Amino acid sequence: MTTSATPDSGTHDPVDEEPMDDRTPTTPPGGQRPPHRPRHRIVTLLIVVLLIAVPAGFLVKAAFVSRDSGEEKQREAALSDLTWERPSKADLRIYDVPMPKSASYVAHYEANSWKTSSLHVQFRITDEKLDKFLHNVGTNGSQLRTGAWSGVSEAQAERVGWEFGKSGRSYAGLVYQESQQHPELQITVDTTAEERPRVYVVSTVRFTGP
């Protein structure tokens, strides 16, 4: 008895199947690797950026510091508080204020603008030193006039908080200027304590154009 083989529809010829490979190809078609940036190039680029950015940052910071410094100087110039220390020798020469070395309770304040520059100075000296101080200025005690505002003006006094209108105190003053090329000195002396007068000076330099 001859039997015929019935083809099994559920079987496949292994020859017709393509081999399966679960591994991901390491190279793209064509056999070339994608371009990549070496690590040392990235480091070099980072260094270059830092070399450019860091100095620029310092320049910006310096600009702000400079601006703040200028603003701070303006604020200091606008203050009316006296500094309780002796002015520099250079300032005393510029403003023609021959303050004795033995002066005590010394305070000063300097103000500057485009047209004028002034130095406020106060100090206490002996009556004998007062005569010598006035002589070195170019004047003398006989030129002193009685009155709170006969020397330093009220506006100049208010600028630094000087009060010359106190009851029970005596004042004398004068205004002296050797020439137009020299500073103008406004001088007020508190003569209440005759042996230890207190001297107030405002020396003003005015700038003139050519």
Side-chain angles (χ1 to χ4, degrees), residues 53-69:
V54 172
F58 277 111
L59 289 175
V60 172
K61 182 178 180 181
F64 278 105
V65 170
S66 178
R67 184 194 66 180
D68 293 341
S69 177

Side-chain angles (χ1 to χ4, degrees), residues 61-130:
K61 182 178 180 181
F64 278 105
V65 170
S66 178
R67 184 194 66 180
D68 293 341
S69 177
E71 292 176 353
E72 181 64 22
K73 289 181 179 180
Q74 292 179 355
R75 287 193 293 269
E76 289 179 356
L79 293 176
S80 61
D81 294 337
L82 292 162
T83 300
W84 287 91
E85 62 182 22
R86 189 182 182 91
S88 67
K89 292 181 179 179
D91 283 343
L92 292 176
R93 285 196 300 268
I94 292 172
Y95 291 98
D96 284 352
V97 181
M99 186 173 63
K101 293 182 179 180
S102 59
S104 59
Y105 298 96
V106 180
H108 74 279
Y109 170 77
E110 184 178 8
N112 300 291
S113 68
W114 288 106
K115 294 183 178 181
T116 63
S117 183
S118 62
L119 177 69
H120 293 61
V121 185
Q122 72 176 57
F123 53 89
R124 187 184 290 275
I125 51 178
T126 63
D127 185 57
E128 179 182 355
K129 292 291 184 181
L130 173 61

Side-chain angles (χ1 to χ4, degrees), residues 175-201:
V175 177
Y176 177 82
Q177 186 174 17
E178 182 177 343
S179 69
Q180 293 295 326
Q181 288 71 41
H182 288 78
E184 178 188 74
L185 274 66
Q186 300 165 255
I187 302 173
T188 293
V189 182
D190 184 341
T191 59
T192 306
E194 295 182 358
E195 295 182 356
R196 295 285 294 175
R198 188 183 295 274
V199 182
Y200 302 86
V201 182

